């Protein structure tokens, strides 16, 4: 979806994004409200996982391998009493509880999504402001970005993770790099249109130094579109992380992530589809919520949609 | 026109040069001695020395790059240490299934998405529009492999209509070829349909507000003619653009889809090569896919002039 963010004319003065009225408008948008609500629930499920009847998500238990959802495991305690553990979403081929793994998996997805968005926006903003403002750097930087964008994002991420030892940090960096050019292009397009505005010329004419000029007059214009772009990056990062883990090149397989649970479930999918079904639903729901939030923000922050909509 | 194509072709050179530098640097970014990596795990010390000399790895890095580039430009990507064959040969073997899958997906996506988008625009604001747009957001959100497994579960396991996985070359029978290609293409086309339907709707909606549409209607032309000949024709440029941009999604999707459906194509090759740390193959595949992306977008730019005679270069 971010591929559609063509440099479009953007209002010179940033719409006020932090006023009360804007806040009310945001919450009235059904996409923002529903998306944010779903995300809040999933984030809570992930954070509160230890108190939601989960067991250790990495504990291997050979006696309860491949159980269907709802299976009741009876554990005999040391004092002779019995405890019943219900495997709500069944277990995988190593006897790990899919319910626990799915809930804990929310943590990794949320972490990767927000980390990738924050880092790529920060780096992209820096490069984009520089490229848009320092004329002689513009050409070389943009050619470099064009080249990076020519490599399909998933392919680039897969290739990058193959270079490093697998882990969350490597995965985050591998997803950040393909996202940077998209942020840079967006920021640069805004800078180029804003720097011709009368108030920027006025600021230059009264002798505002470059750095304060960029921070005070140019940077604020980039924020609303960047917030929207950042939400789309969160969605795509969560998807790419799941894809990498699913293909077996991402986060180490014992770590509970939605992609890993599904990768584990591949072999016995015909008999035990729950290993792919449950994390798949969580993954799809999360990405859907982030996309709804992004679309809602875009409409509310009034970016280019008023140009596009008839 | 020819001059324009020539200029655009020239403009792809810096882009591909960046890709080439990046792909070249991959081996240097990997931890360890490139010669040892290329030689693989079973290599002797002498093998490593031989490779270092053959590839000029004892020379300055810029020289190394041009030696490598010279090999690549003549189609010599080196030998895959996993398959023990020339990389070019492996790629030639694997290209067929991927091309079949991509072509089938592209056809299916356009055939489904464009009518959906047009109908959504024509009936905009109605439940039909909302269903199509809802599907579009959903299509972006459900990961390719989840769609793939859902389809396998429904059509192959539950209903038993189609084979679960695998690939059969066209030469071995048309029916078997398509039977095995339908589910993967459908899987892969979901995100593409979402993308194309959305842009078709927006684009047609914009055109429907134009004066000439009202004129066409006033002339008494049927809705179908107005939509197809007046609206869609003029809305075509953004649609074709997005089909070009969407090729990245297609390529990323190919990697996943081929893994889900066990199709022996380039996508599956990429994953296998990465898992085996088979760098010569990874390098070749990335270069090839990037080149495909760049060339397809060049083709899209050229197509503009055919679709919209107002665009002149």
């Amino acid at each position: 979806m971010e591929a559609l963010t063509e440099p479009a004319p953007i209002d010179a003065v940033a719409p006020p994004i932090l006023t009360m009225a804007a806040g009310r408008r945001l919450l009235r948008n059904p996409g923002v409200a529903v998306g944010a609500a779903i995300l809040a629930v999933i984030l809570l499920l992930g954070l509160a996982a230890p108190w939601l009847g989960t067991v250790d998500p990495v504990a291997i238990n050979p006696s309860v391998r491949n159980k269907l959802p709802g299976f009741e495991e009876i554990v005999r305690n040391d004092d002779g009493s019995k405890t019943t553990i219900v495997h709500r979403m069944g277990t995988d081929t190593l006897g790990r509880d899919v319910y626990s793994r799915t809930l804990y998996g929310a943590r990794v997805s949320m972490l990767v999504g927000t980390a990738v968005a924050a880092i790529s926006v920060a780096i992209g903003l820096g490069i984009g402001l520089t490229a848009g403002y320092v004329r002689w750097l513009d050409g070389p930087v943009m050619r470099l970005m064009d080249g990076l964008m020519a490599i399909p994002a998933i392919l680039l991420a897969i290739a990058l993770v193959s270079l490093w030892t697998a882990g969350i940090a490597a995965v985050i960096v591998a997803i950040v790099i393909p996202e940077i050019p998209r942020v840079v292009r967006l920021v640069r397009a805004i800078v180029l249109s804003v720097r011709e505005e009368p108030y920027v010329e006025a600021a230059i004419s009264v002798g505002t130094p470059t750095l304060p000029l960029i921070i005070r007059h140019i940077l604020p214009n980039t924020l609303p579109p960047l917030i929207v772009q950042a939400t789309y990056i969160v969605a795509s990062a969560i998807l790419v992380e799941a894809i990498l883990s699913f293909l077996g090149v991402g986060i180490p397989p014992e770590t509970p992530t939605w992609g890993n649970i599904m990768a584990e479930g591949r072999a016995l999918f015909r008999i035990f589809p729950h290993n792919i079904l449950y994390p798949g639903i969580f993954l799809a729901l999360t990405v859907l919520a982030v996309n709804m939030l992004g679309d809602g923000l875009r409409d509310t922050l009034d970016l280019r949609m008023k140009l596009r909509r008839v | 026109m020819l001059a324009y194509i020539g200029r655009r072709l020239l403009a792809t050179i810096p882009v591909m040069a960046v890709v080439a530098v990046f792909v070249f640097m991959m081996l240097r970014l990997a931890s360890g001695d490139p010669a040892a990596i290329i030689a693989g795990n079973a290599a002797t010390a002498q093998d490593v020395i031989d490779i270092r000399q053959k590839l000029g790895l004892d020379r300055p890095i810029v020289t190394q790059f041009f030696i490598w580039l010279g090999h690549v430009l003549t189609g010599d990507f080196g030998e895959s240490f996993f398959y023990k064959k020339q990389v070019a040969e492996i790629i030639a073997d694997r290209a067929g299934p991927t091309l079949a899958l991509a072509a089938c997906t592209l056809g299916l996506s356009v055939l489904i998405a464009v009518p959906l988008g047009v109908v959504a625009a024509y009936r905009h604001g109605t439940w039909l529009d909302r269903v199509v747009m809802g599907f579009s957001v959903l299509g972006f959100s459900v990961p390719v492999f989840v769609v793939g497994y859902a389809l396998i579960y429904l059509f192959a396991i539950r209903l038993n209509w189609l084979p679960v996985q695998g690939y059969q070359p066209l030469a071995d029978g048309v029916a078997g070829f398509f039977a095995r290609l339908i589910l993967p293409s459908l899987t892969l086309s979901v995100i593409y349909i979402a993308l194309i339907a959305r842009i078709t709707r927006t684009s047609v909606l914009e055109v429907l507000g134009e004066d000439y549409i009202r004129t066409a209607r006033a002339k008494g032309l049927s809705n179908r003619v107005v939509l197809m000949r007046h609206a869609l024709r003029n809305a075509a440029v953004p649609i074709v653009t997005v089909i070009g941009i969407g090729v990245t999604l297609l390529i990323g999707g190919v990697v996943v889809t081929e893994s889900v459906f066990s199709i022996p194509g380039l996508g599956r090759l990429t994953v296998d090569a990465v898992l085996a740390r088979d760098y010569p193959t990874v390098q070749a595949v990335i270069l090839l896919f990037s080149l495909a992306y760049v060339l397809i977008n060049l083709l899209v730019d050229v197509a503009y002039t055919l679709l919209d005679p107002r665009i002149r270069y």
Side-chain angles (χ1 to χ4, degrees), chain A residues 40-243:
Chain A
V41 169
I42 290 173
L43 188 64
L44 264 176
L45 284 179
L47 291 177
W51 301 280
L52 291 174
T54 57
V55 293
D56 182 358
V58 292
I60 290 171
N61 189 349
S63 63
V64 289
R65 288 158 51 211
N66 293 324
K67 295 300 179 203
L68 289 171
F71 177 79
E72 291 182 5
E73 179 193 358
I74 296 160
V75 182
R76 199 186 303 268
N77 298 323
D78 291 342
D79 58 1
S81 66
K82 287 173 181 171
T83 317
T84 311
I85 300 172
V86 183
H87 295 287
R88 291 177 184 78
M89 299 181 185
T91 59
D92 64 12
T93 49
L94 296 174
R96 292 174 296 198
D97 182 43
V98 175
Y99 169 72
S100 307
R101 288 179 71 74
T102 304
L103 286 201
Y104 278 97
R107 294 182 173 189
V108 177
S109 286
M110 292 290 178
L111 174 72
V112 171
T114 43
V116 167
I119 299 172
S120 49
V121 165
I123 299 177
L125 183 63
I127 300 177
L129 285 175
T130 319
Y133 212 84
V134 185
R135 269 289 145 97
W136 62 271
L137 265 174
D138 191 31
V141 167
M142 291 323 285
R143 292 297 80 73
L144 183 69
M145 294 301 142
D146 287 348
L148 270 184
M149 277 186 86
I151 308 176
I154 292 178
L155 216 57
L156 183 53
I158 292 176
L160 288 171
V161 282
S162 77
L163 302 178
W164 306 309
T165 336
I168 289 187
V171 166
I172 289 175
V173 176
I175 306 175
V176 161
I177 291 175
E179 291 291 351
I180 290 176
R182 286 161 243 271
V183 180
V184 171
R185 277 167 74 132
L186 178 67
V187 173
R188 173 180 170 271
I190 298 164
V191 174
L192 287 184
S193 68
V194 169
R195 57 179 284 161
E196 307 300 331
E197 290 295 325
Y199 66 86
V200 174
E201 276 175 28
I204 295 172
S205 72
V206 295
T208 314
T210 308
L211 201 59
L213 180 82
I214 290 179
I215 292 172
R216 207 170 307 147
H217 298 291
I218 294 181
L219 185 68
N221 288 289
T222 64
L223 290 182
L226 271 182
I227 291 172
V228 175
Q229 183 72 5
T231 18
Y232 292 144
I233 294 177
V234 171
S236 112
I238 290 176
L239 272 183
V240 176
E241 182 275 316
I243 287 172

Side-chain angles (χ1 to χ4, degrees), chain B residues 96-134:
Chain B
T98 302
L99 284 176
L101 177 60
C104 203
T105 304
L106 194 62
L108 206 63
S109 308
V110 174
L111 279 181
I112 296 176
V114 173
L116 274 184
V118 172
V119 167
Y122 182 63
R123 299 231 174 261
H124 82 109
T126 64
W127 63 271
L128 198 70
D129 180 24
R130 265 179 233 123
V131 167
V132 172
M133 284 304 100

Side-chain angles (χ1 to χ4, degrees), chain B residues 10-305:
Chain B
L10 282 180
T12 62
I13 292 176
V15 173
M16 284 315 294
V18 172
V19 175
V21 169
F22 175 81
V23 167
F24 168 78
M25 289 304 291
M26 258 185 65
L27 264 187
R28 276 77 196 167
L29 286 171
S31 43
D33 176 5
I37 295 173
I38 293 171
N41 292 332
T44 62
Q46 188 56 42
D47 290 345
V48 174
I49 294 169
D50 287 347
I51 285 174
R52 191 172 294 142
Q53 253 162 15
K54 186 185 157 228
L55 297 179
L57 294 175
D58 40 4
R59 315 263 280 275
I61 195 148
V62 179
T63 322
Q64 285 180 37
F65 173 69
F66 284 103
I67 293 174
W68 175 79
L69 194 63
H71 287 307
V72 166
L73 287 177
T74 53
D76 174 14
F77 294 100
E79 187 185 81
S80 151
F81 65 73
F82 185 68
Y83 297 96
K84 296 293 171 205
K85 276 206 292 195
Q86 283 298 310
V87 173
E89 217 174 294
I90 303 171
I91 287 182
D93 286 348
R94 299 293 199 100
T98 302
L99 284 176
L101 177 60
C104 203
T105 304
L106 194 62
L108 206 63
S109 308
V110 174
L111 279 181
I112 296 176
V114 173
L116 274 184
V118 172
V119 167
Y122 182 63
R123 299 231 174 261
H124 82 109
T126 64
W127 63 271
L128 198 70
D129 180 24
R130 265 179 233 123
V131 167
V132 172
M133 284 304 100
F135 168 80
S136 169
V137 179
L138 202 66
F140 273 116
S141 310
V142 184
V144 178
F145 48 96
V146 175
V147 178
Y149 279 113
L151 290 179
I152 292 178
Y153 188 71
L154 187 64
F155 291 105
I157 296 175
R158 274 289 138 114
L159 298 171
N160 216 357
W161 287 354
L162 295 162
V164 174
Q165 285 168 325
Y167 175 76
Q168 184 182 316
L170 190 54
D172 297 355
V174 179
F177 172 76
F178 279 111
R180 282 175 182 76
L181 212 52
I182 289 177
L183 286 186
S185 306
L186 213 57
T187 302
L188 190 48
S189 59
V190 166
I191 191 166
Y192 221 27
I193 291 175
L195 184 72
I196 300 173
R198 173 184 284 241
I199 201 76
T200 304
R201 174 185 177 274
T202 315
S203 184
V204 169
L205 206 52
E206 209 165 311
V207 171
L208 282 179
E210 300 283 346
D211 290 342
Y212 57 79
I213 296 290
R214 199 179 45 210
T215 311
R217 286 231 172 89
K219 279 200 303 191
L221 291 182
S222 70
N223 267 329
R224 204 166 56 91
V225 176
V226 171
L227 275 180
M228 288 324 219
R229 200 163 306 153
H230 292 76
L232 190 57
R233 178 98 201 257
N234 285 291
V237 168
I239 299 173
V240 174
T241 310
V242 102
I243 292 175
I245 293 171
V247 169
T248 36
L249 290 177
L250 193 63
I251 293 171
V254 159
V255 176
V256 181
T257 311
E258 289 187 354
S259 297
V260 170
F261 288 92
S262 304
I263 296 171
L266 293 175
R268 183 69 231 173
L269 177 67
T270 311
V271 178
D272 290 342
V274 165
L275 285 174
R277 298 284 191 267
D278 185 357
Y279 292 106
T281 309
V282 177
Q283 287 180 314
V285 175
I286 293 182
L287 273 177
L288 207 69
F289 274 130
S290 307
L291 186 68
Y293 172 72
V294 168
L295 289 183
I296 287 171
N297 278 288
L298 176 73
L299 215 65
V300 164
D301 280 4
V302 174
Y304 287 167
T305 47

Side-chain angles (χ1 to χ4, degrees), chain A residues 232-303:
Chain A
Y232 292 144
I233 294 177
V234 171
S236 112
I238 290 176
L239 272 183
V240 176
E241 182 275 316
I243 287 172
L244 292 179
S245 297
F246 175 77
L247 293 175
V249 297
I251 294 167
E254 66 276 9
T255 314
T257 75
W258 294 334
N260 279 341
I261 305 169
M262 288 189 262
E264 221 283 319
R266 277 168 80 174
L268 292 176
F269 171 71
R270 292 185 198 199
I271 325 161
F272 303 108
H274 60 272
N275 275 339
I276 288 188
L277 184 70
Y278 290 112
I281 290 173
F282 268 76
L283 178 57
L285 204 61
T286 308
V287 180
L288 182 69
V290 182
N291 278 333
M292 282 167 71
L293 185 66
D295 286 353
L297 283 174
R298 183 192 55 199
D299 295 350
T300 319
L301 297 179
D302 216 18
L303 305 163

